[in-house]
Amino acid sequence: MSVPTMTGRSRVLVALATVRDPELDESIVPLGFVASCEVSDDGDATVTLRLPTYFCAPNFAFLMVADAYDAVSALEGLRCVRVELEDHFAAAIINEGVAARAGFAGSFGEEAAGELDELRAGFLRKAVLAGTEQVCRPLLAEGRTPGELADMTLAEIPPSARLDRLRGRRAELGLPAGPSAPLLLDPATGTAVAAEGLPLHLRKARTVRVGIEANTGICRGMLRHRYSTPGQGEAGEAERRDRQ
């Protein structure tokens, strides 16, 4: 029995699923940010993105559009890639800049303080903190002490999707993510967190995690209020459309 191959549209959606909202640390596909995704028979891919509000920060928006363009452009077999943002006050500037590969500063000129590498790194550091709290919470619930956590390496943590996510975010920042790496480290410096500093570190991590989850809930609600249709590839898309 032959295994069906993925369609061009499916391949593009898989590529788009690797693109994250930098602030929410979630994929733009399940968030519902992909308004449309089409691939012609000739291999021309056209993707339209949408955001929860007309005034979403242009630097965040630029990162997502540029990352989406890069992710789709990396696919083999496509003749042309077009990724654009709709219903946003800076859409024209962002779309033109991404298409020209001009970068954020080149697109926004004097309005931009520079490129967005440090902004991206800052959000990744927050993602590492939030991910650390998610991994540590069940360990503390089962009775692990702060001293034990401070001595643990990643190899000693039970396998889970949360651990994989944390290791991935640490690797993106260039932080230790191998089996011998400490569970607890400062995402700004890469140094291990000592037992005496663990309570403060975990309180900060919890605050960051709660903030990210709250913002995610707000953005999901605003997007649903703004658009009546689910995003392309969003969970439950087909079922909801069948009911319409």
Side-chain angles (χ1 to χ4, degrees):
M1 180 177 179
S2 62
V3 178
T5 58
M6 295 179 67
T7 65
R9 178 178 179 275
S10 298
R11 292 176 62 230
V12 170
L13 283 172
V14 169
L16 291 171
T18 67
V19 178
R20 302 193 301 269
D21 180 305
E23 182 182 25
L24 307 182
D25 193 41
E26 290 290 345
S27 165
I28 63 173
V29 172
L31 283 171
F33 290 0
V34 182
S36 64
C37 174
E38 302 295 338
V39 179
S40 72
D41 293 338
D42 294 326
D44 296 336
T46 304
V47 175
T48 303
L49 302 184
R50 64 188 187 183
L51 295 174
T53 75
Y54 185 73
F55 292 104
C56 285
N59 47 5
F60 300 174
F62 190 93
L63 279 175
M64 284 183 273
V65 177
D67 288 352
Y69 181 92
D70 290 343
V72 178
S73 296
L75 295 174
E76 295 182 359
L78 294 179
R79 184 178 69 172
C80 177
V81 173
R82 181 179 180 182
V83 179
E84 293 190 339
L85 178 64
E86 66 177 4
D87 299 338
H88 188 273
F89 80 97
I93 297 173
I94 292 172
N95 294 339
E96 182 179 347
V98 169
R101 317 306 293 141
F104 184 73
S107 301
F108 283 85
E110 295 181 355
E111 297 179 50
E115 291 301 334
L116 303 177
D117 295 340
E118 181 51 39
L119 177 70
R120 189 191 296 276
F123 281 125
L124 272 172
R125 286 191 284 269
K126 288 185 177 182
V128 167
L129 275 174
T132 298
E133 197 271 344
Q134 290 175 329
V135 169
C136 288
R137 202 185 327 148
L139 298 175
L140 291 169
E142 69 183 32
R144 300 277 188 163
T145 67
E148 288 176 320
L149 292 187
D151 291 335
M152 293 181 76
T153 65
L154 293 180
E156 299 174 273
I157 311 302
S160 68
R162 289 179 174 180
L163 178 60
D164 292 341
R165 182 186 180 111
L166 174 61
R167 295 180 70 168
R169 300 300 185 268
R170 282 168 58 155
E172 287 184 56
L173 269 176
L175 297 173
S180 62
L183 166 62
L184 296 158
L185 52 74
D186 184 337
T189 64
T191 58
V193 177
E196 58 270 22
L198 181 56
L200 178 60
H201 183 77
L202 288 182
R203 282 199 298 272
K204 181 178 179 181
R206 182 180 185 278
T207 298
V208 171
R209 190 262 303 169
V210 170
I212 291 175
E213 291 179 354
N215 286 339
T216 301
I218 291 170
C219 287
R220 287 185 185 277
M222 294 176 74
L223 189 77
R224 285 195 299 268
H225 180 75
R226 191 178 189 200
Y227 299 102
S228 60
T229 57
Q232 300 292 299
E234 187 178 359
E237 172 193 354
E239 292 80 1
R240 282 192 290 268
R241 285 181 174 164
D242 288 342
R243 292 196 296 269
Q244 292 177 351

